[in-house]
Amino acid sequence: MSLSIGIHDLSFATAEFVLPHTALAAYNGTEIGKYHVGIGQESMSIPAADEDIVTMGAAAAAPIIARHGSDRIRTVVFATESSIDQAKSAGVYVHSLLQLPSATRVVELKQACYGATAALQFAIGLVQRDPAQQVLVIASDVSKYELDSPGEATQGAAAVAMLVSLDPALVRIEDPSGLFTADVMDFWRPNYRNEALVDGHESINAYLQAVEGTWKDYTEQGGRTLEEFAAFCYHQPFTKMAYKAHRHLLNYCGYDTDKNDIARAIAQTTAYNTVIGNSYTASVYLALAALLDQAGDLTGKSVGMFSYGSGSVAEFFAATVVAGYRAHLRTEHNRETIARRRPVDYTGYRALHERSFPTDGGHHATEAQTTGPFRLAGLSGHKRLYETR
Ligand code: CAA
């Protein structure tokens, strides 16, 4: 009999500032309906000068360590598209900030927004091999496109931390998975660039092809039928994408695409992403957090999870909600994490977007802006300096 392994705890963090789409629309003259309805975004999280994927990742994971301790954690897998170093894993900084035991393996994974799902599957494999161990998976990203580009409205920032263990308290991750890889240039970021490059409309097509491809493989692998899922969490680069994806899947499977049925399957999964924006690797797990926090009792129900990383790699799998899960949710904390962000005006946002660290190897302190638990204090001799506030 296969073991029950999955997500035992899930916690997220986001950035210090929030830019409402009304401010972006007022600046660039876009009719606000395009943002609120057309792409389904209300606001986006904007990191302070002293925040990055490490500070957000540590802030997401800290409540998990506070609740469960770190005695059983022997592996930390950090997934990101917005990596800060070509060699050193961002997870090693988090390991240090959280004072995790030295007897830990730490690694960083990359495949655009898909990386956290690879991390989750690797974690499950490790727990299968040693059921006493727990794995800390951290997905942390800052989504950044060029100013005044179509992608600008789909930026955001957040980190999700998940504790993967035997007999999980939240959801069991099932076999099989449906897999899909295709070599496409829909979204990418060469090492010398801070902002992603994207072929926006091509990326939507590539995503929809991956929905089809994963579902085809999932079915061939003997997965559940569409009717067996209570809801679907899609990767949400913008929340309207989840609606497009579900309509596409229903069409592909020969079903009617009734607007209300689609809304029933998707609406509760978008609550966090619609106000945070794209968080790349974290996005589909923010969708899961929103669903678990908002839906009625889901005990025993299966949720379809679709993870997409441009370039592209995708995976569809089932997460089945376990009895008693509601006692382990962080609903109030999640609400506060979003509510505590401070509004930034358009000029302030633009200044944050345009800033970058000097590359001269000198000592450069960052302005103290964040009120979060960890901060990037500066850069010295090409080394990032972090501190606990
Ligand atoms: N009221 C209501 N709706 C309106 C409107 C209005 N006043 N004006 C426009 N709209 C609608 C449009 O009809 C359109 O809807 P449909 O897609 O249903 O037709 C929607 O708003 C968007 O309008 P456009 O297509 O004209 O918008 P755009 O060309 O400016 O760009 C975008 C949209 C391509 C998503 C762009 O924001 C972008 O490039 N984003 C980044 C790439 C991205 O997120 N791709 C998603 C798939 S790739 C992926 O998932 C990986 C990842 O994380 C990046």
Side-chain angles (χ1 to χ4, degrees):
M1 207 184 93
S2 72
L3 299 173
S4 171
I5 301 173
I7 304 171
H8 191 51
D9 196 359
L10 189 158
S11 162
F12 73 83
T14 184
E16 180 70 19
F17 296 120
V18 57
L19 180 75
H21 277 73
T22 46
L24 180 62
Y27 170 80
N28 65 19
T30 297
E31 152 62 30
I32 193 62
K34 174 170 174 178
Y35 294 155
H36 285 176
V37 182
I39 61 169
Q41 291 304 126
E42 300 276 335
S43 59
M44 49 195 184
S45 288
I46 306 294
D50 51 352
E51 288 182 314
D52 67 4
I53 56 165
V54 169
T55 61
M56 287 193 303
I64 289 184
I65 304 302
R67 188 186 273 180
H68 305 274
S70 57
D71 294 356
R72 292 173 59 193
I73 297 175
R74 289 184 56 77
T75 305
V76 177
V77 192
F78 196 106
T80 188
E81 182 280 337
S82 30
S83 183
I84 51 160
D85 195 290
Q86 296 296 330
K88 180 164 175 160
S89 165
V92 175
Y93 294 108
V94 173
H95 176 274
S96 164
L97 287 169
L98 299 180
Q99 299 176 346
L100 298 182
S102 59
T104 309
R105 65 167 76 80
V106 183
V107 70
E108 183 168 309
L109 289 186
K110 174 180 67 184
Q111 175 33 56
C113 310
Y114 167 74
T117 299
L120 180 62
Q121 294 294 357
F122 292 173
I124 290 168
L126 287 167
V127 174
Q128 222 145 23
R129 186 172 166 149
D130 170 15
Q133 99 156 267
Q134 296 178 326
V135 178
L136 181 62
V137 169
I138 299 172
S140 185
D141 268 306
V142 176
S143 163
K144 202 169 174 188
Y145 293 97
E146 278 180 4
L147 290 167
D148 306 320
S149 72
E152 185 181 15
T154 65
Q155 298 175 119
V160 167
M162 297 181 276
L163 191 65
V164 176
S165 80
L166 183 70
D167 296 331
L170 297 179
V171 296
R172 179 164 45 82
I173 303 299
E174 291 182 2
D175 257 350
S177 280
L179 304 174
F180 181 78
T181 288
D183 183 4
V184 286
M185 293 304 280
D186 59 330
F187 163 105
W188 68 108
R189 186 169 68 82
N191 287 346
Y192 49 82
R193 285 184 61 98
N194 289 326
E195 292 98 6
L197 293 162
V198 64
D199 184 343
H201 293 280
E202 171 54 28
S203 73
I204 294 173
N205 289 334
Y207 181 122
L208 296 178
Q209 287 308 306
V211 169
E212 267 183 53
T214 53
W215 181 260
K216 181 171 179 291
D217 186 50
Y218 181 70
T219 307
E220 285 168 6
Q221 299 295 323
R224 292 177 178 274
T225 61
L226 217 50
E227 298 78 18
E228 289 179 74
F229 291 102
F232 290 80
C233 293
Y234 289 91
H235 167 56
Q236 293 171 11
F238 50 93
T239 63
K240 185 78 176 291
M241 190 68 225
Y243 291 82
K244 284 180 190 289
H246 198 54
R247 185 177 307 111
H248 191 84
L249 180 60
L250 292 177
N251 265 327
Y252 177 70
C253 295
Y255 286 86
D256 288 343
T257 51
D258 178 71
K259 227 174 137 187
N260 296 326
D261 287 347
I262 296 175
R264 256 192 301 280
I266 302 299
Q268 288 171 322
T269 72
T270 62
Y272 297 154
N273 285 315
T274 199
V275 292
I276 286 176
N278 196 354
S279 56
Y280 295 155
T281 52
S283 158
V284 67
Y285 299 100
L286 279 179
L288 178 63
L291 176 70
L292 295 178
D293 283 349
Q294 313 221 6
D297 189 8
L298 287 169
T299 302
K301 304 251 169 72
S302 292
V303 178
M305 302 287 296
F306 175 75
S307 178
Y308 176 75
S310 288
S312 71
V313 178
E315 180 161 345
F316 183 94
F317 60 96
T320 296
V321 182
V322 304
Y325 76 99
R326 283 181 134 172
H328 303 273
L329 296 177
R330 298 176 177 275
T331 311
E332 188 53 26
H333 178 78
N334 294 345
R335 200 194 58 74
E336 281 164 16
T337 298
I338 289 171
R340 70 181 288 282
R341 294 174 302 170
R342 292 186 286 151
V344 62
D345 64 14
Y346 186 80
T347 313
Y349 147 72
R350 212 166 161 104
L352 283 165
H353 193 290
E354 282 172 338
R355 62 178 294 289
S356 62
F357 275 115
T359 55
D360 59 7
H363 182 82
H364 303 282
T366 45
E367 195 184 329
Q369 290 184 333
T370 181
T371 55
F374 306 100
R375 65 180 296 269
L376 171 61
L379 205 62
S380 188
H382 297 293
K383 294 173 191 155
R384 288 171 103 88
L385 308 172
Y386 291 98
E387 60 187 31
T388 302
R389 284 184 64 253

